[in-house]
Amino acid sequence: AEWTELCAAGFEISEFASSDLLAGTEFESSIFLMTRRPRTLILPIGPPTSGKSTLARGLASGGRSGETGRFQKIKRHHLVDVFERDRSFALERLGPGGLRGAKERTNKALLAALEKGRTQSSSVLYIDSTNGAKSARCFYREALQPTRTVYVALGLEALLKQPKASLEAVMERVL
């Protein structure tokens, strides 16, 4: 099977070794240890316009936008589920029930994404909840019960430039 198919099936490379099998020849050897990918939650953190939603759309597209040449022919596999709260809310505002109805439907969609991820042992879920509160991130972790949580800190340079800011203080504020 191709590597991309194995990764899409819920596997990841956990160890890798490569060596020159027969010194002085073109023969090389590589050994990969593939393990089942643990349920993973990816939470972007950062101020507006720091790239959280751009990263979400890139992950959701599997890198398909802007490809040229030979890369257009590569078969892409879906590796990450993405939930964009703000985009979902904007689309739901077009439906019935005004802002309250849109908020309810958005929350219902978020809970459905978390439940879907929880039923799949090798799921990877990226939740773009722009400027989400620390308490919301705790809720996402409790609802999904991931084996691994990845925080993606974007655009925190501005926070670090503030007077009396330290990396520890910024991380306490956002995590």
Side-chain angles (χ1 to χ4, degrees), residues 37-162:
R37 181 184 324 111
R39 183 179 305 121
T40 303
L41 175 63
I42 304 172
L43 295 172
I45 299 168
T49 71
S50 62
K52 297 180 300 292
S53 297
T54 302
L55 179 57
R57 290 183 192 120
L59 289 170
S61 73
R64 283 185 289 272
S65 64
E67 293 175 354
T68 58
R70 66 187 179 99
F71 295 108
Q72 286 179 325
K73 296 178 176 75
I74 295 174
K75 183 179 178 184
R76 299 292 182 179
H77 294 278
H78 181 74
L79 300 176
V80 179
D81 288 321
V82 174
F83 183 83
E84 287 185 78
R85 189 190 72 190
D86 291 349
R87 178 177 270 192
S88 177
F89 183 76
L91 294 171
E92 292 296 342
R93 285 186 66 182
L94 303 174
L99 293 177
R100 178 180 284 172
K103 185 176 180 180
E104 289 174 4
R105 289 187 300 277
T106 300
N107 286 338
K108 193 173 186 177
L110 173 59
L111 291 173
L114 288 165
E115 181 60 29
K116 177 185 174 198
R118 191 169 176 192
T119 62
Q120 300 170 351
S121 62
S122 295
S123 65
V124 178
L125 178 60
Y126 180 101
I127 298 179
D128 180 10
S129 182
T130 304
N131 302 318
K134 184 176 180 179
S135 60
R137 290 188 290 275
C138 289
F139 170 76
Y140 301 151
R141 285 194 316 270
E142 289 172 15
L144 185 63
Q145 297 181 350
T147 304
R148 174 171 55 196
T149 302
V150 178
Y151 295 96
V152 180
L154 301 167
L156 298 183
E157 302 84 18
L159 290 175
L160 287 170
K161 290 180 184 176
Q162 294 176 0

Side-chain angles (χ1 to χ4, degrees), residues 16-22 25-32:
F16 170 79
S18 183
S19 65
D20 188 357
L21 186 61
L22 300 171
T25 69
E26 75 268 12
F27 299 105
E28 294 181 8
S29 174
S30 297
I31 300 171
F32 298 88

